[in-house]
C-alpha cells in the first residue's frame, strides 16, 4: 500500500529554472494538498484541491502553480525558481469532509534547493 | 481565519522527564488532531479529539481537549529519545477542505 508518493525526493535548481513536483495517492481520496516546510515555521499551505477539477490558493501561493491532473495526481510547478523557494515540500491527501478519525496522509517530502 | 498557536516552539529535555505542549486558538474547534513528524519524514496522525473535556491516552502520551474546545494539550510521561520530533496540531471539522496547521513544537529528548 503506497499511500502518498511524491517525486523527486531531492532536487537542486538554478535561479530562474522551472520544475514540477509530482504527487500521487492510491487511496481514492478526493482532497489533496501541497505544503512547504521551513525551519521553525511548521507546515504552510501552498495550494489545495478539494476535489478533482478544483484548485484553490492556500496561505503562500505566490510563485507556484498546481494541476489536479485526475483524482490520483496533484502536481506543483515552480515556473521560475527563486532562492526563497528553497524548502521541503509535502504532498498530502484525505477523504472529502470530516468524520472522526479521518486521517490526513502525507508523502515523504521533496527537498528542493534553489541556488 | 482561525488563529492557531502552539507553544512552546522548542523543547529540549532529558530522557525520563515529562513534558507538555499546547495548542490554542481564538476560535472554537469542532475537533482537533495531533500529528508527529520525525526527522526526514512526513507527519503521522497520533490522535483525534472530538468532545470538549475529552482525554485520550496513547501509551505514555495523554491528549486533552479543553472544555470550551478552544485549546488542547499533549503530555508525555517519561519521555524517550523516540519521542523526538515535531508535534503539530490541526483543527478539523465538517467540510474542512483548507487545512492549516500550527507552527508546531519541536521536541528533543536527550539520552
Amino acid at each position: 500500500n503506497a499511500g502518498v508518493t511524491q517525486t523527486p525526493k531531492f532536487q537542486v535548481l538554478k535561479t530562474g529554472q522551472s520544475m514540477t513536483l509530482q504527487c500521487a495517492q492510491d487511496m481514492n481520496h478526493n482532497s489533496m494538498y501541497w505544503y512547504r516546510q521551513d525551519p521553525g515555521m511548521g507546515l504552510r499551505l501552498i495550494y489545495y484541491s478539494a476535489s478533482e477539477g478544483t484548485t484553490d490558493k492556500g496561505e503562500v501561493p505566490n510563485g507556484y502553480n498546481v494541476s489536479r491532473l485526475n483524482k490520483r495526481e496533484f502536481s506543483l510547478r515552480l515556473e521560475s525558481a527563486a532562492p526563497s523557494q528553497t524548502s521541503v515540500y509535502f504532498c498530502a491527501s484525505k477523504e472529502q469532509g470530516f468524520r472522526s478519525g479521518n486521517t490526513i496522509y502525507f508523502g515523504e517530502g521533496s527537498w528542493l534547493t534553489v541556488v | 481565519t482561525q488563529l492557531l498557536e502552539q507553544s512552546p516552539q522548542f523543547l529540549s529535555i532529558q530522557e525520563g522527564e515529562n513534558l507538555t505542549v499546547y495548542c490554542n486558538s481564538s476560535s472554537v474547534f469542532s475537533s482537533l488532531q495531533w500529528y508527529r513528524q520525525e526527522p526526514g519524514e512526513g507527519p503521522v496522525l497520533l490522535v483525534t479529539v472530538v468532545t470538549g473535556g475529552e482525554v485520550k491516552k496513547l501509551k505514555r502520551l495523554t491528549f486533552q481537549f479543553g472544555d470550551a474546545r478552544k485549546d488542547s494539550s499533549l503530555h508525555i510521561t517519561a519521555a524517550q529519545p523516540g519521542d523526538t520530533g515535531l508535534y503539530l496540531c490541526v483543527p478539523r471539522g465538517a467540510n474542512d477542505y483548507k487545512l492549516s496547521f500550527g507552527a508546531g513544537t519541536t521536541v528533543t529528548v536527550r539520552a
Side-chain angles (χ1 to χ4, degrees):
Chain A
N1 188 3
V4 179
T5 304
Q6 50 181 115
T7 56
K9 182 82 169 181
F10 300 98
Q11 183 73 50
V12 178
L13 285 178
K14 293 183 179 179
T15 298
Q17 286 185 320
S18 62
M19 77 157 297
T20 300
L21 297 176
Q22 307 286 354
C23 176
Q25 50 89 11
D26 62 1
M27 296 171 282
N28 201 37
H29 287 167
N30 283 299
S31 302
M32 297 185 72
Y33 302 82
W34 276 106
Y35 292 89
R36 62 177 289 173
Q37 186 171 44
D38 303 295
M41 301 192 74
L43 292 170
R44 292 189 292 168
L45 182 62
I46 305 172
Y47 271 93
Y48 66 102
S49 172
S51 61
E52 184 179 359
T54 69
T55 60
D56 286 284
K57 294 179 181 180
E59 304 160 53
V60 289
N62 291 344
Y64 305 95
N65 286 300
V66 290
S67 295
R68 183 73 184 265
L69 304 171
N70 48 55
K71 192 171 185 180
R72 289 188 63 248
E73 299 173 288
F74 187 39
S75 63
L76 178 72
R77 183 161 178 84
L78 287 68
E79 291 290 353
S80 180
S84 61
Q85 294 178 303
T86 294
S87 188
V88 184
Y89 292 85
F90 287 94
C91 179
S93 73
K94 72 169 183 69
E95 295 174 4
Q96 193 167 17
F98 176 68
R99 293 172 291 105
S100 179
N102 185 329
T103 302
I104 306 164
Y105 293 90
F106 288 85
E108 294 185 335
S110 296
W111 273 253
L112 177 65
T113 301
V114 183
V115 297
Chain B
T1 301
Q2 185 164 251
L3 184 62
L4 199 63
E5 294 185 353
Q6 287 192 247
S7 61
Q9 188 175 3
F10 300 98
L11 193 56
S12 179
I13 61 170
Q14 200 69 33
E15 182 176 4
E17 294 182 338
N18 303 331
L19 68 97
T20 303
V21 299
Y22 300 91
C23 178
N24 296 287
S25 174
S26 56
S27 305
V28 174
F29 303 127
S30 296
S31 52
L32 184 108
Q33 291 183 325
W34 284 92
Y35 286 76
R36 179 170 66 204
Q37 182 181 18
E38 297 183 8
E41 299 182 5
V44 175
L45 177 67
L46 292 173
V47 77
T48 303
V49 286
V50 178
T51 306
E54 182 177 6
V55 177
K56 281 191 173 179
K57 292 192 175 183
L58 184 66
K59 298 183 180 178
R60 294 175 294 98
L61 278 61
T62 301
F63 302 85
Q64 187 162 3
F65 201 15
D67 291 340
R69 306 205 320 275
K70 296 176 72 172
D71 58 272
S72 181
S73 64
L74 157 59
H75 182 79
I76 302 179
T77 303
Q80 298 177 1
D83 296 323
T84 291
L86 175 66
Y87 290 81
L88 296 158
C89 64
V90 58
R92 300 298 309 275
N95 302 316
D96 61 346
Y97 301 114
K98 187 175 182 180
L99 298 175
S100 294
F101 286 78
T105 295
T106 299
V107 172
T108 303
V109 182
R110 305 184 304 275

